[in-house]
Amino acid sequence: MTIPQIVERAEALGIDRFIITDHYENVSDSGLRRFFIPDPEEHLAQLRAYGLPTGLEFGWDTETPIRYPVEAYDFVLLSFHNLKRSGFRGAIDYDAYLEDVWNGVNLFRHFTVLAHLDLPRRYVEGNPPFSQQHYPHFERIFKKLIEDGKGIELNCSTIRQYGQPNPARDLLELYFNCGGKVITLGSDAHKIDDIGKDLLKGRAILEEIGFRYLTVFEDGEYTFRPL
Ligand SMILES: [Zn+2]
C-alpha cells in the first residue's frame, strides 16, 4: 500500500483523523528484519509531505538497544511481539508475556499508546482469553500508563479473526475502571480492504463500556474528541 492509496481510501470512508503507523521491529531476531524501516528520515519526510502526523508502530523485545529515532515521531504505538521468555506462537506463557510488557513500559518512555495488549491470544490455538487471574498484571500496567499520561489502543483486527478486539472487552472495562481515558482505535490494516475495518464496532464497544472520548492528534497535539 502506498501513502496516497491509504489517504484516498480513508477519505472515501469518511475517516478524517488517522495516523499511518508502519512497523519497525527493534529486535535482534534477524527473522523479523522484514519489519525494518531502513531510512527513518525519509519515512518521516514522506508522511509530512502528505500533511500527515508521523506515526510508527515500534516493536521491542525489551532488550535490544534502541538506536531508531523513535522520539522524532508524533505518535508511537509500542508493541511486544517477540519475547524470548514468554515464547511466541504455539505455547505462550501469558503471565511471562505480561511480566515482559510490564518491564518494557518501565524501560521505555517514548510511546503514546500500548498496541494490541493481549496480542498472544491471536497466536494460540482457539484464542483462549486472558483470565481474571491476569487482572492484577493488567491493573499494574494500566495504572503506570495512566500515571504517565499514556494509553492503549483498541485494535479491531481480531474482531474479524475471533470476535473480540485486542485487548478484549473485559480488559477494556478494566482499563476504564482504573480511570483510563487515553484510547485510540486501530484497524491494523495490512491491505487496502482492511483500512478502517470494524472501527465502528470498536467505537460501539467503547461507548457501551462508558468511554466518552477518543484520543486524536490534531494541529500538533493530542486532544479528546467525543465518540
Ligand atoms: Zn503489532
Side-chain angles (χ1 to χ4, degrees):
M1 290 190 286
T2 63
I3 295 175
Q5 285 173 327
I6 297 169
V7 170
E8 190 190 11
R9 179 78 179 150
E11 281 173 1
L13 291 167
I15 302 169
D16 64 343
R17 291 285 179 277
F18 61 92
I19 303 181
I20 301 171
T21 54
D22 277 347
H23 181 176
Y24 177 87
E25 191 68 26
N26 195 92
V27 297
S28 49
D29 179 350
S30 57
L32 289 164
R33 283 280 145 168
R34 66 183 185 280
F35 297 113
F36 197 71
I37 297 168
D39 186 343
E41 284 309 318
E42 190 191 313
H43 182 230
L44 287 159
Q46 273 178 352
L47 293 166
R48 289 190 186 117
Y50 287 94
L52 295 169
T54 52
L56 180 75
E57 176 179 355
F58 184 73
W60 192 37
D61 58 7
T62 75
E63 284 175 359
T64 305
I66 297 168
R67 297 195 182 88
Y68 196 82
V70 187
E71 62 286 351
Y73 286 80
D74 295 320
F75 177 78
V76 177
L77 271 172
L78 177 63
S79 61
F80 300 97
H81 303 93
N82 178 250
L83 298 162
K84 291 187 194 83
R85 240 157 42 85
S86 47
F88 190 65
R89 300 190 189 271
I92 299 176
D93 179 336
Y94 283 1
D95 285 295
Y97 165 79
L98 289 168
E99 194 65 40
D100 283 332
V101 173
W102 170 247
N103 290 333
V105 299
N106 279 282
L107 290 167
F108 181 73
R109 305 192 57 80
H110 294 290
F111 68 97
T112 320
V113 297
L114 212 45
H116 47 53
L117 184 51
D118 61 357
L119 172 104
R121 238 189 119 169
R122 289 187 191 179
Y123 302 108
V124 181
E125 190 166 346
N127 314 110
F130 284 68
S131 72
Q132 289 191 14
Q133 284 174 340
H134 301 114
Y135 283 8
H137 274 300
F138 283 106
E139 281 169 347
R140 158 168 97 148
I141 293 167
F142 290 151
K143 284 176 184 158
K144 167 81 181 146
L145 294 174
I146 294 164
E147 209 176 274
D148 293 347
K150 302 180 189 308
I152 60 170
E153 171 208 34
L154 188 170
N155 186 301
C156 298
S157 71
T158 47
I159 298 178
R160 51 190 191 264
Q161 189 188 347
Y162 56 76
Q164 280 282 334
N166 277 151
R169 189 193 175 107
D170 64 314
L171 300 174
L172 293 164
E173 263 164 13
L174 192 63
Y175 176 63
F176 181 78
N177 292 334
C178 285
K181 290 194 170 61
V182 175
I183 192 145
T184 63
L185 274 177
S187 58
D188 208 338
H190 288 250
K191 54 182 203 275
I192 290 284
D193 283 349
D194 284 342
I195 290 175
K197 200 167 249 182
D198 293 332
L199 291 185
L200 292 176
K201 288 182 190 165
R203 184 174 81 175
I205 291 169
L206 291 179
E207 277 177 326
E208 282 162 22
I209 292 171
F211 287 94
R212 292 286 164 263
Y213 301 94
L214 259 193
T215 311
V216 296
F217 192 78
E218 226 165 41
D219 302 325
E221 59 179 20
Y222 290 100
T223 171
F224 291 95
R225 175 190 270 210
L227 277 166

